[in-house]
């Protein structure tokens, strides 16, 4: 077959299917957008394992009318103006790809209202990211993104995600993502529903320990202590097992997800940091090895945005530090 240029519709679908790979990737992008909009309340609703419907509603700043025509077009973003701005990045998103990618694999409606708007508007968007209809809505200040018919154009992936065991695993991934983003923002209120059933909710609170307690429960959180480090260029906040805990095993699981690691409030998987935390905890509990076990803990590191590169892969859970820990 001779070489030829792919049709735009095909190349866009292929590319976007690498960015939006699952229900959890949609939820992650939409919740991060809500946090970037300075939301204090976020409500997440799924139906049919998220393949039928995903709704993320927030009370953030909303989207200005002047930005609406471009909000779902690729590479349109309000987060950065040029590559050099990545050194000052304070937001979760920055590429301007998420909404565009979601539109390519699902039906999307964005309802939004800013504090300056007299009323909200609901915009239906086609798979190219263009607005096709607009009508008034009763939404209060904030944004509601409705995603339906996810992967309708990628039936193999839809069938794969909709099978019983895989659907349950994907729902668990969504749960983990929602909790990991919620816990690092103590003042945030979150609800997570599936098929009208409330799966998890978090109330607004004042401390990181209170926030973590709403995930791990009182028994575990009461056996953790907070350690703080404050320097000019570095801030570290750790919740780790208390040294006087007699049996470390009661605070350990075989699942690494119980170790919650953050760099600039971004949930990350960072092997070197994980090993350092495990080594520190193991030394504090000499004689209690952590072979194939992971303790409940939370480590939040805040450094200058210019010292971390989150632009390594689409989901941004893997980062690179300019100065290795």
């Amino acid at each position: 077959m001779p070489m030829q240029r792919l049709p735009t519709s095909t190349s866009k679908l292929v590319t976007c299917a690498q960015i939006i790979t699952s229900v959890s990737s949609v939820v992650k992008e939409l919740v991060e957008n809500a946090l970037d909009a300075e939301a204090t309340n976020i409500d997440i609703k799924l139906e049919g394992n998220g393949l039928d419907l995903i709704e993320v509603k927030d009370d953030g700043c909303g989207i200005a009318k002047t930005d609406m025509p471009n909000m779902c077009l690729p590479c349109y973003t309000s987060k950065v103006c040029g590559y050099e701005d990545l050194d000052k990045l304070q937001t979760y998103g920055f590429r301007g790809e998420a909404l565009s990618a979601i539109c390519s694999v699902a039906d999307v409606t964005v309802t939004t209202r800013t504090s300056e708007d007299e009323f909200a508007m609901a915009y239906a968007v086609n798979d190219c990211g263009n607005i096709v209809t607009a009508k008034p809505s009763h939404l209060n200040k904030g944004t509601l993104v409705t995603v339906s018919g996810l992967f309708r154009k990628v039936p193999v992936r839809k069938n794969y995600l909709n099978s019983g065991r895989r659907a349950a695993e994907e729902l668990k991934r969504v749960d983990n993502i929602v909790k990991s983003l919620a816990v690092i923002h103590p003042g945030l209120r979150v609800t997570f529903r599936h098929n009208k059933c409330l799966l998890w909710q978090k109330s607004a609170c004042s401390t990181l320990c209170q926030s973590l307690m709403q995930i791990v429960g009182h028994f575990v959180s009461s056996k953790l202590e907070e350690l703080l480090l404050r320097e000019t260029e570095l801030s570290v906040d750790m919740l780790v097992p208390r040294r006087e805990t007699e049996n470390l095993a009661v605070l350990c699981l075989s699942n690494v997800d119980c170790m919650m690691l953050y760099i600039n409030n971004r949930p990350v998987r960072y092997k070197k940091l994980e090993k350092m935390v495990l080594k520190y905890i193991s030394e504090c509990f000499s004689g209690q090895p952590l072979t194939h076990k992971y303790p409940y803990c939370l480590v939040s590191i805040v450094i200058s945005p210019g010292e971390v590169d989150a632009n390594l892969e689409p989901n941004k859970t893997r980062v690179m530090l300019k100065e290795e820990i």
Side-chain angles (χ1 to χ4, degrees), residues 93-130:
F94 52 86
R95 296 191 185 114
E97 292 180 337
L99 283 176
S100 172
I102 296 170
C103 288
S104 294
V105 293
D107 298 319
V108 176
T109 300
V110 180
T111 306
T112 188
R113 179 182 180 182
T114 69
S115 57
E116 290 78 30
D117 295 332
E118 185 178 351
F119 51 84
M121 291 292 293
Y123 301 89
V125 186
N126 65 16
D127 56 2
C128 293
N130 297 311

Side-chain angles (χ1 to χ4, degrees), residues 38-87:
E38 301 180 348
T40 57
N41 293 277
I42 302 177
D43 298 304
I44 303 126
K45 181 172 74 173
L46 306 184
E47 291 182 8
N49 301 311
L51 296 172
D52 293 339
L53 180 74
I54 301 171
E55 283 190 357
V56 176
K57 179 182 177 183
D58 69 65
D59 65 346
C61 62
I63 304 170
K65 281 186 170 62
T66 53
D67 289 331
M68 291 308 303
N70 302 320
M71 66 175 178
C72 293
L73 297 179
C75 300
Y76 275 84
T77 177
S78 60
K79 313 296 175 57
V80 297
C81 295
Y83 191 81
E84 63 279 1
D85 290 338
L86 293 180
D87 285 343

Side-chain angles (χ1 to χ4, degrees), residues 19 46 153 180 221 257 323:
I19 299 169
L46 306 184
K153 290 186 177 181
S180 68
S221 64
D257 287 341
E323 296 292 335

Side-chain angles (χ1 to χ4, degrees), residues 32-302:
E32 287 181 346
N33 281 352
L35 291 170
D36 285 343
E38 301 180 348
T40 57
N41 293 277
I42 302 177
D43 298 304
I44 303 126
K45 181 172 74 173
L46 306 184
E47 291 182 8
N49 301 311
L51 296 172
D52 293 339
L53 180 74
I54 301 171
E55 283 190 357
V56 176
K57 179 182 177 183
D58 69 65
D59 65 346
C61 62
I63 304 170
K65 281 186 170 62
T66 53
D67 289 331
M68 291 308 303
N70 302 320
M71 66 175 178
C72 293
L73 297 179
C75 300
Y76 275 84
T77 177
S78 60
K79 313 296 175 57
V80 297
C81 295
Y83 191 81
E84 63 279 1
D85 290 338
L86 293 180
D87 285 343
K88 303 186 289 289
L89 190 69
Q90 300 285 349
T91 58
Y92 287 102
F94 52 86
R95 296 191 185 114
E97 292 180 337
L99 283 176
S100 172
I102 296 170
C103 288
S104 294
V105 293
D107 298 319
V108 176
T109 300
V110 180
T111 306
T112 188
R113 179 182 180 182
T114 69
S115 57
E116 290 78 30
D117 295 332
E118 185 178 351
F119 51 84
M121 291 292 293
Y123 301 89
V125 186
N126 65 16
D127 56 2
C128 293
N130 297 311
I131 295 172
V132 291
T133 63
K135 60 182 180 181
S137 172
H138 297 294
L139 185 75
N140 292 326
K141 184 176 79 74
T143 301
L144 166 64
V145 180
T146 303
V147 178
S148 57
L150 184 62
F151 297 129
R152 70 192 189 284
K153 290 186 177 181
V154 195
V156 173
R157 184 172 301 179
K158 180 176 181 179
N159 292 337
Y160 176 84
L161 291 171
N162 205 29
S163 65
R165 179 176 62 84
R166 295 189 184 99
E169 291 172 351
E170 186 61 20
L171 200 61
K172 180 62 177 175
R173 290 190 189 96
V174 175
D175 184 71
N176 287 341
I177 285 171
V178 170
K179 288 177 177 177
S180 68
L181 287 168
V183 70
I184 199 65
H185 298 278
L188 180 69
R189 172 196 160 274
V190 176
T191 63
F192 173 38
R193 292 180 168 83
H194 179 236
N195 292 343
K196 300 181 180 180
C197 176
L198 180 63
L199 299 185
W200 184 71
Q201 63 180 350
K202 173 186 172 293
S203 302
C205 55
S206 56
T207 69
L208 195 56
C209 187
Q210 292 171 347
S211 190
L212 183 61
M213 183 179 69
Q214 298 186 61
I215 294 178
V216 302
H218 181 267
F219 175 80
V220 171
S221 64
S222 66
K223 295 184 180 300
L224 302 180
E225 64 178 335
E226 186 170 22
L227 305 177
L228 301 174
L229 171 65
R230 297 287 187 267
E231 294 185 355
T232 305
E233 301 293 333
L234 174 69
S235 171
V236 181
D237 197 339
M238 299 176 63
L239 290 168
V240 295
R242 295 181 182 275
R243 298 190 184 198
E244 61 267 26
T245 302
E246 294 182 0
N247 184 7
L248 182 59
V250 300
L251 296 178
C252 292
L253 294 177
S254 58
N255 190 343
V256 71
D257 287 341
C258 63
M259 292 182 65
M260 308 183 77
L261 309 180
Y262 299 84
I263 296 180
N264 291 353
N265 287 345
R266 187 186 300 278
V268 298
R269 292 259 70 95
Y270 201 105
K271 291 293 185 181
K272 192 167 186 178
L273 179 57
E274 289 173 5
K275 289 179 180 179
M276 288 182 62
V277 173
L278 287 172
K279 183 175 182 292
Y280 167 78
I281 294 176
S282 180
E283 289 174 351
C284 290
F285 293 86
S286 56
Q288 298 190 45
L290 292 171
T291 307
H292 304 304
K293 292 289 184 179
Y294 302 92
Y296 279 106
C297 63
L298 186 153
V299 178
S300 175
I301 298 173
V302 177

